[in-house]
Amino acid sequence: MEEFVAAHVEKIRPIMKETNLAYWDAATTGSPEAYDRLADLELKIRKIYNNAKDFALLTSMKESGHVKDSLMTRQLDVLYNAYLKEQVDPDLLKRIVDLSTEAEEKFSTFRGTFEGRKITDNEIREILKTETNSEKREKAWQAAKQVGPVVAAQLVQLVKLRNQAARKVGFDNYHTLSLAVTEQNVKEIDRIFAELGELTDKPFAKLKADLDRILAVTYGVDVNEMMPWHYHDPFFQEAPLVYDLDLDVYYTNRDVKELAARFYASIGLPVESILDRSDLYEREGKNPHAFCINMDRRGDVRILCNLANNDRWMDTILHELGHAVYDKYLDADVPYLLRKPAHSFTTEAVAMFFGRLTRNAAWLHDMLELSAEQRTRIEQSCERYACMQQLIFVRWVLVMYNFEKQLYANPDQDLDSLWWDMVEKYQYVQKPHRRAEPDWAAKIHLTCSPCYYHNYMLGELLASQLHHHIVRNVLRLESDNDLSYVGQEKVGDYLRENVFEAGAVYHWNDMIENATGEPLTPGYFVAQFVE
Ligand SMILES: [Zn+2]
């Protein structure tokens, strides 16, 4: 095992670094050469993990139980899962890659039709945010769903091919395999989501009724006539903007980069070295979104942003720097294969933990030197929006998780009805009369990031669990009233020592238990946002 690990790391380490560099080049310049180089390197990595002989060796070592050292066992698990995921025969893999590339392309080029002309996603979103005429809203919503029938058949075929690959390595379907290779089991995730569903059902029903009353007045319709197009985005996954909250005004003449740097320094997690290597401002040809990347697991951590001085980018830079401090403070003595976050959702949790501060009135007050009067004015709306956003998001993720699970369990069932059953059950949004379209297929994640969506929710749960633990046990406070986190070095110390440095040395749930005293639970999220 020691020999295998040493040889593997020697092989994979330089390629990973080169891949990250290619990714960075591609994202910062948009250069086609960089994209080509990236695709070649990704294929090279795939071929390493596709090796059946190596996988057989890992399997026999795992089954023998002879590897006893705990760090070695963890590395064996991590390697076994990485190989397991890639044990697909080359022909089948090629069909899957071709089909998903084709479907992804359709998503990026397709434009819906609205009042006889092609319309962009941004235009649809703008209409759903501002238009008060119900008929126009309905047409915009339908335009957002028109990509569904264009990709639905391909997506079903893709699901079947993914399932075929999963069955070859002994799993029921691809959903089960996907969770297993990221050390999650379906029963455990089911249990968490069932609990979350139960705890949020009544509060959500109430919130939705209040929201419907306000929105119905805006559109001049009866509250019973509220339809899917009456919310502010095509899937009702975001909080409609019905209460006054404009935080952008507080960021004019401010520098979100400087604010973020000052905040992280104040909690003992300085980020200068990260910001120095990062690419922060908009430029022609550059990726318009944001991400964090750990180039070499040796401290070269960078973020990409397109900063503007407003609320959205304050949230984003805090979020990306949350990922970045996790990567930066991974313990350099931990073996290379374990020198990464415990799980993709644990780094998401840390990023969310920090991004949420933009909805914390005490934080805004301390960082932006607001007056007491300004603070009072935004306090209530901030809290109301944070709660509303989280509650709406939970119910939406329940739709995605349960639909996707059943999609992979039986792709031949009536998926159009299944989708609307889920939407009605979890979101209380009524299916339009006689609607029979593959509306589920319009959600790009089902095609492009399969079986991943639930991790966003797990990230939110952990962010709340960490928050609760820090408030009660690290800062020893009775409640989080007035807690801005600004200047609290104990917070940085706690996260570094208990979450970041451990990397993937422990299974994610063991890390959480070590860090907070209990495994992942929805209780603290519910206490923070629902009760
Ligand atoms: Zn993130």
Side-chain angles (χ1 to χ4, degrees):
M1 185 62 200
E2 275 169 18
E3 276 168 29
F4 187 95
V5 167
H8 181 80
V9 170
E10 200 177 321
K11 192 162 46 178
I12 202 77
R13 190 172 188 153
I15 302 179
M16 289 297 283
K17 187 173 176 182
E18 222 186 312
T19 307
N20 290 334
L21 281 167
Y23 187 83
W24 183 256
D25 273 356
T28 53
T29 64
S31 125
E33 291 84 350
Y35 277 105
D36 287 348
R37 198 149 40 92
L38 180 62
D40 287 347
L41 286 160
E42 280 171 346
L43 192 67
K44 224 168 153 183
I45 294 173
R46 242 185 162 145
K47 281 194 175 143
I48 291 176
Y49 289 105
N50 184 250
N51 187 310
K53 233 176 82 190
D54 284 352
F55 181 61
L57 180 63
L58 288 167
T59 309
S60 75
M61 283 197 273
K62 200 172 156 70
E63 283 167 357
S64 76
H66 290 160
V67 180
K68 302 268 196 243
D69 173 76
S70 67
L71 279 179
M72 270 298 156
T73 326
R74 278 299 295 159
Q75 290 176 87
L76 176 53
D77 286 346
V78 166
L79 277 175
Y80 176 84
N81 286 327
Y83 274 83
L84 174 59
K85 199 175 69 179
E86 298 299 337
Q87 297 308 301
V88 187
D89 73 59
D91 287 346
L92 182 56
L93 180 65
K94 187 174 178 329
R95 285 171 70 199
I96 293 175
V97 171
D98 288 350
L99 202 56
S100 56
T101 313
E102 210 180 296
E104 273 177 50
E105 242 175 84
K106 283 186 178 168
F107 268 106
S108 55
T109 54
F110 182 86
R111 297 284 174 273
T113 306
F114 174 78
E115 297 183 329
R117 63 181 178 92
K118 297 286 176 202
I119 188 171
T120 66
D121 285 359
N122 279 334
E123 286 176 278
I124 292 173
R125 298 179 76 82
E126 191 54 33
I127 294 169
L128 292 178
K129 283 201 167 79
T130 54
E131 180 58 58
T132 54
N133 179 309
S134 279
E135 269 170 54
K136 278 198 169 175
R137 297 188 65 87
E138 179 175 355
K139 284 181 190 146
W141 180 84
Q142 289 194 342
K145 306 289 170 182
Q146 282 163 2
V147 69
V150 177
V151 294
Q154 266 173 338
L155 178 49
V156 170
Q157 212 194 333
L158 206 45
V159 167
K160 290 179 178 174
L161 293 178
R162 285 169 181 162
N163 278 350
Q164 203 180 315
R167 286 193 192 109
K168 275 215 172 124
V169 284
F171 286 82
D172 302 351
N173 61 55
Y174 182 77
H175 182 261
T176 326
L177 167 72
S178 295
L179 267 64
V181 296
T182 58
E183 305 193 297
Q184 292 177 340
N185 86 56
V186 177
K187 270 197 189 127
E188 194 175 13
I189 307 299
D190 276 356
R191 186 187 53 75
I192 289 174
F193 278 90
E195 194 178 340
L196 207 48
E198 231 166 86
L199 292 169
T200 55
D201 187 49
K202 283 208 179 78
F204 177 75
K206 184 181 176 304
L207 172 132
K208 167 109 184 343
D210 291 344
L211 201 54
D212 281 356
R213 264 196 302 277
I214 298 171
L215 290 170
V217 173
T218 319
Y219 308 133
V221 298
D222 189 88
V223 77
N224 298 316
E225 293 164 355
M226 286 294 291
M227 297 305 291
W229 45 86
H230 285 127
Y231 303 96
H232 285 194
D233 66 273
F235 292 97
F236 190 30
Q237 63 184 86
E238 289 162 22
L241 306 160
V242 292
Y243 305 112
D244 183 40
L245 178 69
D246 179 11
L247 294 173
D248 286 348
V249 295
Y250 301 108
Y251 292 99
T252 43
N253 303 320
R254 292 287 183 168
D255 179 351
V256 294
K257 173 191 168 188
E258 185 272 327
L259 289 164
R262 188 148 53 84
F263 169 70
Y264 275 99
S266 86
I267 57 166
L269 298 173
V271 292
E272 262 77 21
S273 67
I274 299 165
L275 292 171
D276 287 346
R277 300 167 198 266
S278 294
D279 191 315
L280 298 175
Y281 298 99
E282 238 174 344
R283 206 173 46 242
E284 185 70 30
K286 180 182 157 181
N287 176 323
H289 307 290
F291 63 81
C292 168
I293 187 165
N294 187 356
M295 307 303 280
D296 59 358
R297 305 193 192 179
R298 269 186 178 145
D300 182 356
V301 179
R302 311 175 187 182
I303 63 169
L304 179 142
C305 284
N306 288 270
L307 295 180
N309 293 318
N310 58 32
D311 171 48
R312 177 185 156 217
W313 283 103
M314 185 77 252
D315 181 338
T316 306
I317 191 172
L318 288 172
H319 180 106
E320 298 308 334
L321 286 171
H323 286 300
V325 289
Y326 201 146
D327 287 340
K328 179 180 169 182
Y329 293 105
L330 288 162
D331 187 345
D333 293 333
V334 162
Y336 176 84
L337 293 173
L338 304 177
R339 210 182 307 147
K340 59 176 189 176
H343 197 280
S344 57
F345 90 78
T346 64
T347 176
E348 213 50 65
V350 170
M352 287 162 165
F353 175 91
F354 288 113
R356 282 178 184 179
L357 292 171
T358 55
R359 291 291 173 279
N360 174 330
W363 187 87
L364 292 165
H365 174 258
D366 286 2
M367 292 305 297
L368 303 171
E369 295 120 35
L370 302 186
S371 66
E373 183 216 351
Q374 283 173 316
R375 177 181 161 165
T376 325
R377 203 182 315 144
I378 58 175
E379 192 146 33
Q380 221 190 0
S381 315
C382 268
E383 197 177 314
R384 187 143 58 166
Y385 265 114
C387 294
M388 181 157 75
Q389 180 57 47
Q390 293 289 1
L391 202 43
I392 287 170
F393 187 65
V394 173
R395 305 302 291 188
W396 160 244
V397 180
L398 285 167
V399 172
M400 283 292 281
Y401 177 71
N402 288 296
F403 176 81
E404 202 166 22
K405 197 176 93 174
Q406 296 202 32
L407 167 67
Y408 283 93
N410 176 14
D412 287 317
Q413 64 185 308
D414 177 357
L415 296 166
D416 303 356
S417 301
L418 176 69
W419 176 258
W420 281 104
D421 288 349
M422 298 284 176
V423 169
E424 291 189 326
K425 176 176 174 189
Y426 294 113
Q427 294 185 291
Y428 293 110
V429 170
Q430 54 176 319
K431 176 180 168 178
H433 186 53
R434 295 169 116 166
R435 177 102 186 147
E437 296 288 339
D439 293 322
W440 47 277
K443 190 68 195 168
I444 188 170
H445 296 74
L446 295 176
T447 300
C448 300
S449 336
C451 310
Y452 186 80
Y453 214 82
H454 62 283
N455 285 307
Y456 297 120
M457 193 68 245
L458 299 183
E460 297 285 5
L461 301 185
L462 179 56
S464 290
Q465 191 164 334
L466 289 170
H467 171 74
H468 175 89
H469 183 81
I470 290 171
V471 171
R472 294 301 168 92
N473 302 304
V474 178
L475 302 174
R476 302 194 175 281
L477 300 169
E478 289 294 308
S479 84
D480 61 0
N481 285 345
D482 286 333
L483 174 61
S484 71
Y485 281 113
V486 179
Q488 302 277 9
E489 284 195 28
K490 278 184 184 167
V491 176
D493 292 344
Y494 165 79
L495 288 172
R496 202 173 46 237
E497 287 161 19
N498 295 279
V499 180
F500 306 163
E501 286 181 355
V505 165
Y506 309 101
H507 180 276
W508 56 267
N509 222 359
D510 294 334
M511 180 279 284
I512 295 172
E513 191 166 354
N514 293 340
T516 69
E518 56 192 318
L520 184 66
T521 159
Y524 300 109
F525 173 88
V526 171
Q528 190 176 3
F529 295 109
V530 182
E531 276 161 5

